[in-house]
Amino acid sequence: MRYEMLRFMNVTKALSDENRVRILLTLNEKEELCVCHLIDLLELAPSTVSKHLFLLKNARLIVGRKDGRWMHYRLNNKHGAPSLVIEALEWIVKSVSDDPVIKADRERLEKILSVPQQASCGR
């Protein structure tokens, strides 16, 4: 399989799950988030969220950085990201930003972020 086709397939696979799309739209709103905040938002097991993040990272839709014991993620929409990735992220935002689930996620995330990170991520 050619590299371009493989990259395309990784992106489409990553976009084929509602929770992964929710992660992308949440990161679009909040530039960068700790994985523990995503776990709280999605109300999924840490291992499930980690699998979702792995697939998004493998598709190059997100990038991560370690800060002490916490892992933070952000969209890979900055300079140097493949055009396919930037176009996919723009398409997602344009297509489903007004979905009721996404709107509810925004409100829920504000509540989650109102708690100090030490308290919410220190479990």
Side-chain angles (χ1 to χ4, degrees), residues 6 17 42 69 86 98:
L6 181 60
D17 181 87
L42 298 172
R69 64 183 191 183
I86 293 170
D98 292 331

mmCIF file of all heavy atoms in Angstrom, residues 6 17 42 69 86 98:
data_model
loop_
_atom_site.group_PDB
_atom_site.id
_atom_site.type_symbol
_atom_site.label_atom_id
_atom_site.label_comp_id
_atom_site.label_asym_id
_atom_site.label_seq_id
_atom_site.Cartn_x
_atom_site.Cartn_y
_atom_site.Cartn_z
ATOM 1 N N LEU A 6 -2.055 4.786 2.896
ATOM 2 C CA LEU A 6 -1.976 4.366 4.293
ATOM 3 C C LEU A 6 -2.318 5.530 5.222
ATOM 4 O O LEU A 6 -3.083 5.367 6.181
ATOM 5 C CB LEU A 6 -0.586 3.822 4.614
ATOM 6 C CG LEU A 6 -0.364 3.321 6.032
ATOM 7 C CD1 LEU A 6 -1.323 2.183 6.358
ATOM 8 C CD2 LEU A 6 1.067 2.879 6.216
ATOM 9 N N ASP A 17 -15.136 6.988 14.732
ATOM 10 C CA ASP A 17 -15.684 6.743 16.063
ATOM 11 C C ASP A 17 -16.133 8.062 16.686
ATOM 12 O O ASP A 17 -15.395 9.049 16.667
ATOM 13 C CB ASP A 17 -14.619 6.087 16.958
ATOM 14 C CG ASP A 17 -15.148 5.787 18.330
ATOM 15 O OD1 ASP A 17 -15.727 4.695 18.507
ATOM 16 O OD2 ASP A 17 -15.007 6.649 19.219
ATOM 17 N N LEU A 42 -15.354 12.062 28.690
ATOM 18 C CA LEU A 42 -15.955 10.959 27.944
ATOM 19 C C LEU A 42 -16.602 9.911 28.842
ATOM 20 O O LEU A 42 -17.399 9.100 28.378
ATOM 21 C CB LEU A 42 -14.903 10.293 27.060
ATOM 22 C CG LEU A 42 -14.285 11.184 25.991
ATOM 23 C CD1 LEU A 42 -13.131 10.467 25.307
ATOM 24 C CD2 LEU A 42 -15.316 11.645 24.985
ATOM 25 N N ARG A 69 3.955 13.663 35.502
ATOM 26 C CA ARG A 69 3.253 12.383 35.374
ATOM 27 C C ARG A 69 2.017 12.471 34.483
ATOM 28 O O ARG A 69 1.319 11.484 34.291
ATOM 29 C CB ARG A 69 2.879 11.843 36.751
ATOM 30 C CG ARG A 69 1.908 12.703 37.492
ATOM 31 C CD ARG A 69 1.644 12.133 38.855
ATOM 32 N NE ARG A 69 0.525 12.828 39.466
ATOM 33 C CZ ARG A 69 0.083 12.605 40.658
ATOM 34 N NH1 ARG A 69 0.675 11.694 41.398
ATOM 35 N NH2 ARG A 69 -0.929 13.269 41.140
ATOM 36 N N ILE A 86 -4.715 18.673 8.323
ATOM 37 C CA ILE A 86 -5.310 20.001 8.510
ATOM 38 C C ILE A 86 -6.690 20.061 7.869
ATOM 39 O O ILE A 86 -7.653 20.548 8.472
ATOM 40 C CB ILE A 86 -4.375 21.088 7.954
ATOM 41 C CG1 ILE A 86 -3.101 21.151 8.807
ATOM 42 C CG2 ILE A 86 -5.073 22.444 7.913
ATOM 43 C CD1 ILE A 86 -2.005 22.008 8.243
ATOM 44 N N ASP A 98 -21.800 22.085 15.898
ATOM 45 C CA ASP A 98 -23.081 22.480 16.493
ATOM 46 C C ASP A 98 -23.931 21.292 16.940
ATOM 47 O O ASP A 98 -25.077 21.471 17.339
ATOM 48 C CB ASP A 98 -23.869 23.335 15.498
ATOM 49 C CG ASP A 98 -23.199 24.679 15.262
ATOM 50 O OD1 ASP A 98 -22.519 25.175 16.181
ATOM 51 O OD2 ASP A 98 -23.355 25.226 14.152
#
